[in-house]
Amino acid sequence: MAITGILLAAGRGRRFDPSGVQNKLLQKLAARDNGDDGETVVAASAKNMLAALPRVLAVVREGDDQVAALLGRLGCEVRVCADADLGMAESLITAIEHTRAAEGWLIGLGDMPYVRPQTMRALAATIARGAHIAAPVFEGRRGNPVAFSAYHLPLLLALEGDQGARAILKSHPVSEIAVDDEGVVRDIDTRQDLR
């Protein structure tokens, strides 16, 4: 069963920089012990998803050419969401519309660079085994990314606003996967989060 990765990278990151001057997705993460200089937030997020899934579609906002080019070079299909400022649902619908023939989707966020590929593979495998929704749980906290089977295509296409697919999670059964992966609850909202 082919699960398509969706990387949502169209937000403005106003909590990171209210002025909107600095794009948090292009900020460098702290260098790792292995001598790596530190990747940008969105590159790390994309690489982890690309390591887990054969197809990844990334959604960027209009005019964000730098993020679009970077994601394209890494191997993501890139789609621009003209209405990204209306909320996360618009980005998600853009991706789902373009991949509506998929058997399911793993929906990840461009500002969550620490999610391990094996966590994403486990979520995709849960959908492949017949679950309609799969979500990771780390130390009792449900996190991201979240996987959906094609069963939920109509509901995903009907989303509105900035809550993403949260309403679907609240009103439908979710297969929770316990993971030893703090990355599922760790996003980049402030400069301190880059460490």
Side-chain angles (χ1 to χ4, degrees):
M1 180 181 204
I3 303 294
T4 296
I6 294 176
L7 187 68
L8 300 177
R12 292 209 175 262
R14 296 203 193 281
R15 279 179 288 180
F16 185 87
D17 180 7
S19 72
V21 172
Q22 294 190 315
N23 186 335
K24 75 173 175 180
L25 296 180
L26 294 173
Q27 301 305 305
K28 288 221 175 191
L29 296 167
R32 298 198 181 113
D33 294 337
N34 62 7
D36 179 6
D37 284 344
E39 294 187 276
T40 62
V41 171
V42 77
S45 300
K47 285 180 178 180
N48 289 337
M49 189 174 278
L50 287 161
L53 300 169
R55 181 183 186 196
V56 175
L57 183 134
V59 182
V60 301
R61 71 176 180 270
E62 208 165 42
D64 202 351
D65 300 339
Q66 224 178 331
V67 169
L70 172 60
L71 292 172
R73 282 194 305 273
L74 291 173
C76 297
E77 295 173 47
V78 179
R79 288 287 166 268
V80 174
C81 179
D83 295 323
D85 285 340
L86 296 178
M88 191 185 299
E90 294 299 322
S91 296
L92 191 47
I93 290 169
T94 294
I96 299 287
E97 282 281 6
H98 190 73
T99 60
R100 64 167 49 227
E103 297 176 65
W105 302 271
L106 178 80
I107 301 166
L109 306 175
D111 69 349
M112 293 189 73
Y114 301 112
V115 181
R116 296 179 192 151
Q118 59 262 37
T119 296
M120 295 187 226
R121 284 191 286 270
L123 293 165
T126 301
I127 296 299
R129 286 193 299 271
H132 292 313
I133 304 174
V137 176
F138 174 75
E139 295 182 352
R141 291 174 58 199
R142 189 186 282 174
N144 284 296
V146 176
F148 291 87
S149 75
Y151 173 85
H152 284 300
L153 175 65
L155 289 176
L156 289 166
L157 289 174
L159 292 171
E160 295 179 343
D162 205 32
Q163 293 299 304
R166 205 170 289 162
I168 300 172
L169 294 171
K170 286 181 180 173
S171 57
H172 292 81
V174 176
S175 295
E176 293 188 333
I177 312 300
V179 297
D180 181 25
D181 181 357
E182 186 185 13
V184 303
V185 294
R186 189 174 172 202
D187 61 359
I188 305 296
D189 272 336
T190 68
R191 291 211 155 277
Q192 290 71 33
D193 296 333
L194 294 169
R195 296 189 185 114

